[in-house]
DNA sequence: TATTGTTATACTCTATAACTATA
DNA sequence: TATAGTTATAGAGTATAACAATA
């Protein structure tokens, strides 16, 4: 195992875990629990998503999606819509209100913590370029 | 708001959120729920931690710490010990078994995802240096 | 037979409120 | 009075198992 990569990821973990309380607070202020927020994050407008696919993406049992979808539907953020191709499948679609909530989530997840916000412009550019390259090179991230 | 810093943090969020399922799976394999793992993370050997301080660190209500400490104690990872200075206070101390579990947690949180593991040596050094500088410059992170 | 979504169950995390024992 | 830890309660996330409808 590459010790340098481990060191870098350790620093990233440290930064993220320190931000976790702030992020959860802001999600709660929006009336969303973490898993509801992650579900919303993986939905896109005009792209109905089978509940089963969402369970795979979030890596949780299908039975949990029922409750998460119930609450997102009660909040008016998603709608259940039967699939025209397979009558067993129900898809979730973002409402306009859901799309607005999703945009606020993106704000929350991109708000940098003090150590990142304080970095100089050229350091930020350097890190951005490397991380973008890393994400472009590796599939499924 | 600095858009570059937001972009960088967005990339870091993307990387972390993609790793979340793997991390939760490995915590579960250790028999630990996320909050139990975070509690363990903030304990150090031979440094009794008041339960109240842990609640502040984890940013959750004090009543939750009771249950979390109950389960960590049942697992043999921590012990409750009354404070000699203030008889209202109970502190948590890591057992040897708890310290071993904590070391495994560090392994989990430092295991890099494919995009980071695949980076070249000099890119890793660059990112490490910048993040280390960022963390050293900002207090409380 | 296999899969999708649901329900039932049991456990953990979450905040709020009320309690106790200390300070 | 104020604070530390506990208990009770209710809502949400978690996996497992069983079920109905559909493939």
């Amino acid at each position: 195992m590459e010790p340098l990569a481990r060191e870098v990821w350790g620093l990233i973990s440290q930064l993220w875990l320190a931000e976790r309380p702030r992020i959860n607070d802001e999600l709660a202020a929006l009336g969303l629990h973490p898993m509801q927020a992650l579900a919303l994050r993986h939905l896109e407008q005009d792209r109905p998503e089978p509940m089963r696919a969402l369970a795979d993406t979030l890596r949780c049992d299908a039975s949990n999606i029922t409750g998460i979808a119930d609450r997102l539907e009660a909040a008016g953020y998603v709608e259940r819509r039967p699939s025209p191709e397979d009558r067993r499948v129900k898809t979730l679609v973002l409402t306009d209100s859901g799309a607005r909530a999703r945009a606020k989530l993106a704000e929350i997840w991109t708000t940098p913590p003090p150590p990142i916000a304080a970095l100089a412009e050229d350091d930020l550019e350097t890190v951005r370029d490397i991380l973008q390259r890393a994400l472009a090179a590796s599939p499924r991230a």
Side-chain angles (χ1 to χ4, degrees), chain A:
Chain A
M1 168 76 57
E2 173 68 82
L4 244 181
R6 191 175 277 284
E7 197 176 352
V8 165
W9 188 249
L11 292 167
I12 289 177
S13 288
Q14 186 179 344
L15 284 164
W16 180 274
L17 292 176
E19 275 303 277
R20 191 186 144 118
R22 189 219 92 215
I23 289 173
N24 283 350
D25 283 354
E26 294 187 13
L27 294 181
L30 246 122
L32 289 170
H33 286 248
M35 279 304 285
Q36 296 171 11
L38 290 177
L40 234 38
R41 175 174 182 261
H42 283 285
L43 296 177
E44 285 169 34
Q45 238 169 352
D46 305 319
R47 196 178 53 77
E49 179 87 348
M51 293 175 70
R52 172 73 248 172
L54 198 55
D56 290 338
T57 303
L58 301 181
R59 230 44 111 80
C60 69
D61 193 83
S63 61
N64 299 324
I65 302 296
T66 298
I68 291 168
D70 283 348
R71 291 178 275 274
L72 288 176
E73 204 169 26
Y77 290 154
V78 305
E79 279 179 20
R80 277 179 170 86
R81 190 175 300 169
S83 165
E85 294 132 11
D86 186 332
R87 291 201 300 171
R88 292 172 302 181
V89 174
K90 290 178 194 166
T91 63
L92 299 180
V93 290
L94 268 186
T95 63
D96 289 347
S97 168
R100 284 192 294 275
R102 188 172 179 277
K104 285 184 202 147
L105 291 177
E107 287 266 321
I108 292 173
W109 280 315
T110 58
T111 300
I116 298 297
L119 278 174
E121 191 100 359
D122 59 338
D123 282 339
L124 289 170
E125 278 175 13
T126 302
V127 174
R128 178 199 56 188
D129 292 348
I130 293 175
L131 294 184
Q132 274 182 344
R133 210 161 357 100
L135 280 160
S138 288
R140 289 291 344 139

